[in-house]
Amino acid sequence: MSTTAPWTPGPIRESAETVRRTLPIRVEFARQISQWRVRVVLIIFGVLPIVVRLAFLIGGAGGPAAGRTDLAAFAQASGTTFTAFILVITAGFLLTLVVALLFGDMIAGEASRSTLKYLLTIPVGRTRLLFVKVLVAWTVLVVGILILTGMSLLVGTISYGSGGIQIPVGPQLGMAESLLRILAAVAVIWLHLSWAAALGTMFTVLAEAPLAAAGGVVITSILSSILERIPDLGIVRNYLPTWNTDAFREFFAARIDYGPVVDSVLSALIYALIFTAVAVWWFRRKNISS
């Protein structure tokens, strides 16, 4: 007589498709959009061009100031020039602060709300969790920059007309070329911010509080900006993460010098690769017990 061995359950194995479905990107994006800090950031991006336009109205000056050759003096020359000016005044500290807020909260925010350990028991791998968080944060950032650029073009065109960018002490570009240059400048700004985004990713897995993670990015940016203004540091300044932050301004000059642009992007991407690698390595080994 044959006997059949009793059935025993084997190990539970989650397929890649199952793990992927446990943390859909669209769900995480909806979660982020529902948070007040993200909504405030997007509202600020949309309102800022209007605030700058009102500031020009209060100032009363309708044309370039005598003796001035900066872009601010020609900001009211056309809608595209106004947009270029908005990008110049926001690409430094403001956008870095936004990056710090978005990326500094990703993991540290979940840890501070005691929800991180529950996310990891869905089940979802730590690398997958970090990937989705970073992708959503980048998406929100891109949406914000596009809102800022689009609103600047809209407000500027309504206020100053649809002419091309007026180059300070130079020609006025055609409309098509101006739009292409604005898009190129936005792309360079976005790529240069990758170092701050990756640093925020690293800090968010190291810190337990989102404020500490965001503050780390802001302080690093400020410190780097201070150091690059010290001539005695010599060539060391070329290796600081904020070096050539304003390289995108080359697209608002009569003749574009691509050297600073390439240096800016390459430097940011190298820093981003290093910081991201450290973040992934640390997060995969981090002890999460609360």
Side-chain angles (χ1 to χ4, degrees):
M1 183 177 66
S2 62
T3 59
T4 303
W7 177 84
T8 56
I12 299 176
R13 296 180 180 177
E14 297 289 343
S15 66
E17 179 67 16
T18 301
V19 173
R20 185 186 67 83
R21 289 178 178 176
T22 57
L23 192 63
I25 294 175
R26 65 180 183 277
V27 173
E28 179 61 24
F29 181 78
R31 287 183 64 223
Q32 293 300 318
I33 292 296
S34 66
Q35 296 186 16
W36 67 267
R37 61 181 177 82
V38 175
R39 292 183 178 181
V40 167
V41 166
L42 296 180
I43 291 173
I44 290 175
F45 280 149
V47 172
L48 182 60
I50 301 175
V51 173
V52 175
R53 169 59 177 145
L54 292 176
F56 281 136
L57 285 176
I58 295 173
R68 291 177 55 188
T69 59
D70 58 331
L71 190 62
F74 295 86
Q76 301 177 75
S78 65
T80 51
T81 312
F82 179 79
T83 303
F85 172 69
I86 293 293
L87 292 176
V88 167
I89 64 176
T90 58
F93 181 76
L94 178 60
L95 287 183
T96 301
L97 179 60
V98 170
V99 169
L101 292 174
L102 292 177
F103 288 82
D105 185 79
M106 292 187 303
I107 302 300
E110 299 288 356
S112 66
R113 294 187 292 268
S114 300
T115 56
L116 180 57
K117 65 177 181 179
Y118 299 108
L119 282 175
L120 294 175
T121 57
I122 291 177
V124 58
R126 296 192 180 195
T127 304
R128 167 69 183 179
L129 174 62
L130 191 59
F131 168 77
V132 171
K133 289 282 189 181
V134 169
L135 181 60
V136 170
W138 268 116
T139 302
V140 172
L141 179 63
V142 170
V143 169
I145 295 177
L146 291 178
I147 290 175
L148 175 66
T149 307
M151 282 297 297
S152 300
L153 277 171
L154 178 62
V155 173
T157 301
I158 292 175
S159 303
Y160 310 118
S162 58
I165 297 175
Q166 176 61 57
I167 304 296
V169 196
Q172 184 172 16
L173 304 177
M175 189 63 180
E177 182 181 359
S178 298
L179 293 176
L180 288 176
R181 289 197 180 202
I182 288 174
L183 288 176
V186 168
V188 171
I189 291 171
W190 176 70
L191 289 172
H192 183 78
L193 288 173
S194 62
W195 79 265
L199 184 63
T201 303
M202 185 180 75
F203 281 149
T204 198
V205 302
L206 293 174
E208 297 296 332
L211 183 59
V217 177
V218 174
I219 292 174
T220 302
S221 177
I222 293 175
L223 181 60
S224 177
S225 298
I226 292 174
L227 292 177
E228 74 177 50
R229 287 171 171 79
I230 301 177
D232 292 342
L233 289 178
I235 197 174
V236 174
R237 298 184 300 166
N238 298 350
Y239 298 98
L240 295 172
T242 55
W243 183 253
N244 277 332
T245 297
D246 58 352
F248 71 95
R249 294 193 187 189
E250 291 293 333
F251 294 102
F252 305 141
R255 183 177 180 180
I256 303 174
D257 183 1
Y258 288 98
V261 175
V262 173
D263 290 343
S264 172
V265 172
L266 286 179
S267 173
L269 292 179
I270 291 173
Y271 273 110
L273 180 62
I274 295 173
F275 294 148
T276 301
V278 173
V280 172
W281 178 84
W282 185 272
F283 189 54
R284 288 174 62 90
R285 291 159 178 77
K286 184 174 183 178
N287 180 24
I288 300 172
S289 57
S290 62

